[in-house]
Amino acid sequence: MYTDICEMLGIKYPIFQGAMAWISDAELVSAVSNAGGLGVLATGHLDGEGCRAEIRKIKEKTDKPFAVNVMLLSAFVDDIVKVICEEKVPVVTTGAGSPLKYMAQFKEAGVKVIPVVPSVAMAKKFVKDGADAVIAEGTESGGHVGKTTTMALVPQVVDAVDVPVIAAGGIADGRGMAAATMLGASGFQLGTRFLVAKECTVHEKYKEKILKAKDIDTTTTGQSTGHPVRVLRNKLARAFEALEKNNASQEELDALGRGALRRAVKDGDVDNGSVMSGQIAGLVSKEQTAKEMIEEMYNEYKEIMEKASSLIR
Ligand code: TUI
């Protein structure tokens, strides 16, 4: 499982823990990094100083590489980028937009930049702008998603760019990782599986909903706003669907969405809150430590990859 991205970042396994706003804090990030993967701090819910405090906590808990995700729609993005550079964070992932505005600042501070991309065009553009690698994220992912599936997106991005490609969306075990390897990926990013890690501080009710979810239980809300978000179907998702069917205004949709992720993550209100999840939730069936997850997935991967060559006679 040792690939070019392991070499570039100094990590043991090419397994990234996807950033999840309100959820992936110092506790989860350090657990994943200590287990040999790349923990990724979410900052979508933080201001600059909140971000600095989490980074300092991570540094106390691990001496391994970790990343900070910059959610480019955040109101505090300028402050967050400044803090990341000051704290000499080794790796940044970006989401929900173009990192171009901050590229020079990151390069100057020696920060590796790995944007999430939902399309080939975006991958080519961000690599031209200086990205060190890209995360090709399929529509199977939880949260804010594009339209193309991981299966179709990853090989097309691999062919279009000359930097390592990390596959995201629909991966939660060694089989998914082996499949992504066959598509040309150098690494894998997982969010949904790490939601039920023992070190994940998300509300127990949120974990229960993920553990109980079946293959067809997610939907995307906010299609009409241009920011579709994949969530587990619940009362809030149905209210969104009803509003969208009636061509509700952006303001009405925003009002319904405001505070909804926090409500699910912190208060455990999984009926009226936004329970973001990938389509692979149906495969996620047990709570384990991040280390147990990573080692189990590595062993599954090793067995599959060793068997694969015997299919050719
Ligand atoms: O960012 C994500 N997933 C997220 S962010 C998030 S927080 C949120 N909460 C409520 C509503 C909306 C967001 C929850 N999940 N994934 C990475 C990702 N980035 N997916 C798609 C993209 C993307 C989209 C457009 C990347 C670049 C891009 O470029 C647009 C442009 O014009 O540059």
Side-chain angles (χ1 to χ4, degrees):
M1 223 187 214
Y2 196 82
T3 67
D4 49 3
I5 197 76
C6 297
E7 187 75 33
M8 183 192 285
L9 306 181
I11 53 178
K12 185 173 175 194
Y13 301 112
I15 301 174
F16 291 22
Q17 158 258 308
M20 297 170 279
W22 290 101
I23 299 173
S24 41
D25 56 9
E27 202 65 43
L28 182 62
V29 172
S30 59
V32 172
S33 286
N34 280 330
L38 186 77
V40 185
L41 176 71
T43 63
H45 59 300
L46 300 174
D47 61 12
E49 288 316 306
C51 174
R52 194 191 305 278
E54 280 308 303
I55 291 171
R56 297 226 169 136
K57 273 194 227 165
I58 297 169
K59 288 177 179 169
E60 275 171 25
K61 290 170 183 285
T62 186
D63 54 3
K64 299 276 193 309
F66 64 94
V68 175
N69 176 260
V70 180
M71 213 283 272
L72 290 153
L73 293 172
S74 158
F76 301 106
V77 57
D78 288 353
D79 293 342
I80 283 166
V81 169
K82 188 166 153 275
V83 166
I84 288 169
C85 294
E86 284 169 1
E87 293 292 324
K88 308 225 171 301
V89 170
V91 187
V92 150
T93 64
T94 67
S98 166
L100 178 60
K101 186 177 162 198
Y102 305 102
M103 197 61 92
Q105 220 174 319
F106 285 136
K107 295 276 152 173
E108 199 161 312
V111 181
K112 293 259 186 312
V113 182
I114 311 185
V116 172
V117 296
S119 69
V120 167
M122 223 69 91
K124 281 171 131 170
K125 182 176 182 305
F126 298 165
V127 169
K128 193 165 129 259
D129 294 341
D132 296 281
V134 293
I135 301 167
E137 190 191 76
T139 192
E140 297 92 323
S141 306
H144 175 50
V145 286
K147 293 202 169 109
T148 309
T149 61
T150 303
M151 186 76 147
L153 181 64
V154 171
Q156 296 188 73
V157 171
V158 166
D159 283 352
V161 298
D162 56 2
V163 298
V165 176
I166 288 87
I171 304 175
D173 66 6
R175 291 173 296 183
M177 293 181 185
T181 298
M182 299 306 179
L183 299 176
S186 292
F188 328 104
Q189 175 162 283
L190 288 66
T192 307
R193 175 112 187 225
F194 286 121
L195 266 173
V196 301
K198 290 213 167 115
E199 298 90 344
C200 182
T201 55
V202 73
H203 199 284
E204 276 306 315
K205 290 238 171 72
Y206 200 124
K207 284 191 184 179
E208 266 168 40
K209 200 152 166 80
I210 297 287
L211 290 167
K212 282 193 191 140
K214 296 190 197 61
D215 55 344
I216 56 170
D217 287 350
T218 73
T219 184
T220 51
T221 59
Q223 290 283 359
S224 62
T225 67
H227 295 298
V229 174
R230 184 173 303 285
V231 292
L232 284 175
R233 221 179 266 111
N234 65 1
K235 204 168 143 194
L236 178 70
R238 283 191 293 275
F240 255 108
E241 273 160 16
L243 273 187
E244 291 196 84
K245 207 179 269 171
N246 293 326
N247 297 316
S249 66
Q250 180 75 49
E251 289 75 45
E252 282 175 283
L253 290 163
D254 285 350
L256 190 61
R258 205 165 296 131
L261 182 56
R262 191 194 176 285
R263 217 152 42 232
V265 172
K266 296 289 176 196
D267 308 339
D269 185 352
V270 293
D271 298 321
N272 304 295
S274 176
V275 186
M276 295 188 188
S277 164
Q279 288 183 326
I280 203 69
L283 201 78
V284 174
S285 57
K286 58 182 188 285
E287 210 175 333
Q288 292 167 301
T289 65
K291 187 168 190 289
E292 286 164 349
M293 287 179 179
I294 288 175
E295 286 174 1
E296 181 177 286
M297 292 190 285
Y298 171 74
N299 288 328
E300 290 165 352
Y301 182 85
K302 186 166 178 283
E303 195 180 325
I304 295 167
M305 296 302 279
E306 282 169 357
K307 264 193 205 151
S309 62
S310 72
L311 292 171
I312 305 296
R313 293 273 157 93

